[in-house]
Amino acid sequence: MKGGERDLLIQILGFLCISHSVGYSHSPLSHQPAERSGEDVDIILTRLKGVKAFQRFHPSLLLQICSCAFYEYLEKVFRQGDIGTSWYAVLSGSLDVKVSETANHQDAVTICTLGIGTAFGESILDNTPRHATIVSRETSELLRIEQREFKSLWEKYRQCMAGLLAPPYGAMESGSNNDLVWLLWKLGVQSEKLQRGGKVMRNAILSRAPHMIRDRKYHLKTYRQCCVGTELVDWLVQQSTCVHTRSHAVGMWQALLEEGVLNHVDQELGFQDKYLFYRFLDDEEEDTPLPSEEEKRESEEELPETILFLAQIGPDALLRMILRKPPGQRTGDDLEIIYDELLHIKALSHLSNTVSLIPPLQHWTHVKLSLLLPVFNQGEEGTSWYIIQKGSVNVVIYGKGVVCTLHEGDDFGKLALVTDSARAASIEDFNRILRDVEANTVRLKEHEQAVLVLEKSPRASTLGNIKYTVMSGTPEKILDHFLETMRMDTHHADPGTHTHTPNDFVLMHCVFMPNSQFCQLLMAQYPFSPSDSLLFHSQERLEYAVTSKRRVLNLALRWSAVHTHHLQEEQAALTFLEELYGSVSSDSRILRALKDFVPDLEKVVKLQYKVLLREFSNGDERLAQKQPIRNCDEILLKVYCSDHTYTTIRVAVAATGREVTSAVADKLASNDDLLLVHLSSAGEKQMLKPNDVSVFSTLSINGRMFACPRDQLNALTPLPDQEGPSAGSMSSFELMSSKDLAYQMTLYDWELFSCVHEHELLYHTFGRQSFRRTTANLDLFLRRFNQVQLWVVTEVCLCGQLSKRVQLLKKFIKIAAHCREFKNLNSFFAIIMGMSNPAVSRLTQTWEKLPSKFKKFYAEFESMMDPSRNHRAYRLTVTKIEPPIIPFMPLLLKDMTFSHEGNKTFIDNMVNFEKMRMIANTIRAVRHCRSQPFNPEVCQPNKNHAEVRGYVRKLCVIDNQRTLTTLSYRLEPRRT
């Protein structure tokens, strides 16, 4: 799709994609076409009309697109050769386009990547097989139109729809060059947008500040129709809040300079924020006419979209420009920009943060590889080390062909440089993905079957010994390996935040090895009894026994530190710990080296947890400090009947749907087969399955649980209190300090975040049904995110006065700023997403009244939510702040889900431990955020702190998007 569609897709994501990841309200696109209301169509139509590419469409075409498009979460691969059934546009994420000349998917070549705003699936128009295989590079979401509807639209509106196809329909003819044509078309899209962008910028300057383009004299020489670099930067910074700094503006002008639509009068290749002269391409000819009034009007309309596009590509252009400079010409600011980029380069990720990278940066240069041509040839002398900033290259060895592909962040050339030898391979740009690591792997086999696969670690010990990393293996052999290689110089009871593979094992083993099996295997590794006379047969045997015992005890204590109260819920774990404690207590009388373990193990064995009775009622959480919810706890749960009466049952926290319905049937003395239903405030019914675990924590904010016979299912209606408030609470909190509100929100969020056990992230990712474990603490934390987001929307939509709504927006922006100050990124994102909800963002009269200072703050906050480059803006922010941090949890869960769904858990009947390590890395990020305690003295509470505390913990919201949209249109009706 064309560049203008990006606005539509980003706005749709505001109420579609994020809500999908955390279980928030359903979007209009998720409804079946027949079920879409007029408001649903209006929401989609409003966004379509806001995109220039759709403005020339006939209204009936727009309405048909609104009515027939679907939302789809990409969980499958579209294979080359298959017959397509739908056309797709990419809403979020990215997809690789792979083509195979042999029709063998293993030989597929990646020819390009589709990002947000692109489309595929045109082959459905003539029922030809798909030209390429499409696979998701990350979690991706699509807009889908089925074949019948798409054909109908195409036949009726062929002329105006042609621009939506990628590539334009008919451009791909049969032949071996099809995919190269497609690739070159894709590469040309950005060039076309830059060419148009240059015209828009020139026309806008001539319209808004015509004095900037004029003849200039310098050193007795006249330069015709020029601009000054400094003035161009000044002007651009003033045009939009998405241009954050002068260096950002420099990068945007540099992108136009590289394309040739803006040129330095002396043909220099780098744009500078100095008194230097630049000329637009259209001003190169002396007789170029000035833009007409119509052209100026069009440019004014396109300017915001053009600036946004340039703002997105500007940072890369700026980096390219800096890296092209000779080392001696790089400024301190240049080095800072390069340093920020290096933080995300895989080739340098192993360097310690304490290593200073600034001096070497003076010697870096930039190389841009040419498309599909050999660049560095095997046998040539190596003179430099290279890191790939963009694109990918093939590594080719004579006689073997392509042996691997290097991608963004990979490096090459250091071996030839260090050893002063010829290059061992040719480097070619752009082709298929292969990985040959057999030369670096060691396979341990038993009965001709591999049971453990190790790979040489790139890092060696200080003694020069080779280190190996576990890639895969059977659970037993992985455990054996970690026990044999375990370091004994770290404290056994500290799970730590460092990447120690034993910690990965104790954290992740529940995925592939239950606690009962782990305990049995670990106890079997605790060798010899001191009473065994053979133990003292030799000093060597004694030392081996002591070392083995210490390793088992070290791993057992790490395991207990990670699992905490979960161990108290399993009899097998308790029996193991008691047996191990008895053995160690006895052995320590003879083997003094074991004495240090006795006190720590005693604490674990004697630690007891009481079973607590919980109360759970929506919108009425207790004001007492939150305590972690455990599997062994019990809960009082209200379950409603079709006549809106209810019964209260007492069940285990981890009770299944079957157990809940059984308890309800017993309480009601009913012989009917009851269905368990989650009924939302919008009347949507979700049938809960008998095997669903911990069903109470899956309820939405205003959702309620119903139990009824099947014949009463259609008669279920929401309770009156599910509608939410009918009046806003601004009068209650407008006099409360924004800082106090943010502080109390942070305090509550920290309590919820602290209750989340690390294993809940695993249960959420792999499916808690298979573990029979609750994720209640994580569910409540995610629910809080939705609650804060909807609180913002609810308060704005229930505020009838325009001036009051403006004050509300200012208040929420201030609260968000203080949340960021307190490092509460979860509520910070929730507030900003609430303000970007369609029901709020469409209130143009309200936003127009907002002071420019607050608009700038909001734009800055929105930029942190930019999902491009895998949420790079957010990740950079997190790396620059110290714990304690309350992170944006939905993104962490997305990372874990992507690692899980993109990698098999078992390979050749062995555990894929590389996958376990990837997921453990994300959990370590959570551990890092909580590695320091939250300081409650960071903000001195005012006299009314109890009032503020009570308010933020009992937020009342409307969670029905249709209701919120209706309220929004009442505040500011649709303009005709």
Side-chain angles (χ1 to χ4, degrees), residues 690-966:
N691 292 329
D692 286 347
V693 178
S694 190
V695 292
F696 81 94
S697 66
T698 63
L699 294 177
S700 60
I701 296 171
N702 290 342
R704 297 292 184 269
M705 193 174 293
F706 282 73
C708 67
R710 185 174 294 277
D711 59 3
Q712 295 180 13
L713 181 62
N714 293 332
L716 295 184
T717 57
L719 302 168
D721 67 346
Q722 287 186 251
E723 295 179 2
S726 57
S729 61
M730 184 182 178
S731 59
S732 300
F733 77 89
E734 67 176 338
L735 298 179
M736 298 177 186
S737 159
S738 299
K739 189 170 186 178
D740 286 347
L741 285 163
Y743 171 73
Q744 290 295 340
M745 291 173 70
T746 301
L747 197 60
Y748 185 48
D749 288 357
W750 180 256
E751 290 176 16
L752 292 170
F753 180 45
S754 299
C755 289
V756 177
H757 193 281
E758 292 173 352
H759 276 153
E760 291 187 63
L761 303 173
L762 290 179
Y763 305 151
H764 181 279
T765 302
F766 286 87
R768 60 188 177 187
Q769 280 72 21
S770 57
F771 297 94
R772 277 300 303 271
R773 293 285 186 180
T774 184
T775 58
N777 299 293
L778 177 60
D779 295 338
L780 292 179
F781 185 48
L782 293 174
R783 210 171 84 128
R784 175 63 176 180
F785 177 88
N786 291 336
Q787 188 181 42
V788 172
Q789 184 178 181
L790 288 167
W791 169 57
V792 174
V793 188
T794 299
E795 293 299 333
V796 173
C797 290
L798 290 177
C799 184
Q801 285 184 262
L802 176 60
S803 60
K804 288 285 188 181
R805 286 200 302 278
V806 175
Q807 292 302 315
L808 260 179
L809 292 185
K810 291 169 62 177
K811 186 82 170 180
F812 286 131
I813 291 172
K814 288 179 183 179
I815 295 172
H818 287 301
C819 283
R820 188 173 69 164
E821 176 189 345
F822 294 138
K823 296 180 281 192
N824 182 358
L825 301 180
N826 205 60
S827 282
F828 169 79
F829 271 82
I831 292 170
I832 300 306
M833 286 184 180
M835 297 179 72
S836 64
N837 184 286
V840 177
S841 63
R842 64 164 298 277
L843 299 173
T844 53
Q845 296 174 35
T846 308
W847 285 97
E848 286 170 359
K849 296 287 186 180
L850 188 67
S852 58
K853 179 178 73 171
F854 286 90
K855 288 180 182 177
K856 190 170 184 179
F857 285 147
Y858 177 70
E860 177 191 342
F861 296 163
E862 261 197 326
S863 68
M864 279 185 63
M865 295 166 50
D866 182 6
S868 64
R869 302 182 77 172
N870 195 17
H871 295 269
R872 183 181 182 218
Y874 167 77
R875 296 182 196 276
L876 264 177
T877 300
V878 174
T879 62
K880 293 178 180 178
I881 58 180
E882 297 294 327
I885 305 166
I886 304 177
F888 178 40
M889 185 59 77
L891 182 57
L892 290 171
L893 293 176
K894 172 190 170 185
D895 289 344
M896 292 185 66
T897 301
F898 181 57
S899 298
H900 170 49
E901 295 182 352
N903 300 276
K904 294 180 179 178
T905 302
F906 295 93
I907 300 176
D908 298 330
N909 296 320
M910 294 186 292
V911 178
N912 179 6
F913 203 76
E914 184 67 12
K915 171 181 176 176
M916 303 298 119
R917 192 176 291 108
M918 291 166 61
I919 294 176
N921 278 336
T922 304
I923 296 179
R924 261 192 296 275
V926 174
R927 187 179 293 171
H928 169 73
C929 291
R930 299 192 293 202
S931 60
Q932 296 295 326
F934 178 72
N935 179 13
E937 298 178 359
V938 70
C939 179
Q940 294 298 323
N942 290 336
K943 293 179 181 180
N944 64 339
H945 74 94
E947 181 185 355
V948 178
R949 185 172 186 269
Y951 176 80
V952 301
R953 290 172 184 244
K954 297 179 68 173
L955 299 177
C956 296
V957 304
I958 299 171
D959 68 349
N960 185 340
Q961 184 65 41
R962 296 185 186 182
T963 302
L964 293 169
T965 302
T966 300

Side-chain angles (χ1 to χ4, degrees), residues 361-386:
L361 293 182
Q362 296 285 2
H363 305 289
W364 283 53
T365 187
H366 178 268
V367 175
K368 184 176 181 180
L369 301 181
S370 57
L371 183 63
L372 295 168
L373 294 174
V375 181
F376 303 104
N377 292 314
Q378 186 174 349
E380 293 178 345
E381 178 185 1
T383 59
S384 299
W385 173 46
Y386 300 88

